[in-house]
Amino acid sequence: MSIDRLSPLPTALLECSVVDGSGQASTFEEMTRSQPTLLLFVRHFGCIGCSENIALVAPRFGELHTLGVRNVIIGCGAPNFIQGFKERNRLFGQPVEVFTDPSLTAHQAAELNYGSWGGFGPKALYEMARAYVSGQVSGPIEGDIKQQAGAIFVDGEGQVQLYHRADSLGDHVNTLQLVEAAMAMRIDSHPELV
């Protein structure tokens, strides 16, 4: 199994289930069916690098939503951590949904990196300091600290348009590439807009 650009999401990922803060389950197939979707995976809900990642991507949620994109964040902590994560990252009122997969099954199916080096190696320590200096704060550990983040953007047919697999806690998806992929998808599906 491999996640490649212009290929469909793997069946193993489509069948994975995640839950929201109230415990309501959704599969990736349901989330990505017939609508372009950004699947933004975070390490754990208290991660300083993930706070930095959200600070970079959140200002684009409205723009992506206007382009018809469903914005979804997936963590790996307990569902009761979602509320605090949304508060710390000022996500209320934003066009974004937050889910979690404490089993890490979805993170594994998305082929995201797993290991201590991505959170505690020299590069990660530098990135942690960078995030701190930029005003981000580290919260309590709310999930698996070895799990690394990533992003998958799929079009309305479930074809992968962008895939980012983080190597460390400060390795974030490029927001410009993300918006460009969403704009290109929108133009391809609505050429009359050009």
Side-chain angles (χ1 to χ4, degrees), residues 152-180:
I152 305 172
F153 175 64
V154 295
D155 64 18
E157 269 95 65
Q159 302 292 311
V160 175
Q161 299 299 310
L162 182 131
Y163 176 56
H164 176 76
R165 195 171 171 237
D167 289 323
S168 58
L169 68 84
D171 181 11
H172 310 309
V173 65
N174 183 310
T175 56
L176 181 58
Q177 289 177 346
L178 178 59
V179 172
E180 285 176 352

Side-chain angles (χ1 to χ4, degrees), residues 29-91:
E29 183 173 15
E30 293 166 341
M31 288 191 288
T32 60
R33 185 183 308 137
S34 72
Q35 182 177 4
T37 306
L38 167 62
L39 302 168
L40 186 64
F41 291 86
V42 295
R43 294 183 67 239
H44 67 84
F45 288 126
C47 171
I48 190 170
C50 295
S51 293
E52 182 181 50
N53 191 14
I54 298 299
L56 294 170
V57 180
R60 306 314 283 266
F61 285 151
E63 186 177 0
L64 292 167
H65 179 72
T66 300
L67 291 169
V69 176
R70 180 179 185 181
N71 299 301
V72 176
I73 297 172
I74 303 107
C76 66
N80 62 308
F81 294 143
I82 291 175
Q83 181 78 8
F85 173 79
K86 289 170 76 172
E87 288 172 6
R88 283 190 303 277
N89 291 285
R90 299 173 194 90
L91 295 176

Side-chain angles (χ1 to χ4, degrees), residues 85-107:
F85 173 79
K86 289 170 76 172
E87 288 172 6
R88 283 190 303 277
N89 291 285
R90 299 173 194 90
L91 295 176
F92 290 104
Q94 292 263 19
V96 63
E97 302 164 74
V98 182
F99 295 88
T100 190
D101 171 33
S103 71
L104 297 178
T105 304
H107 290 73

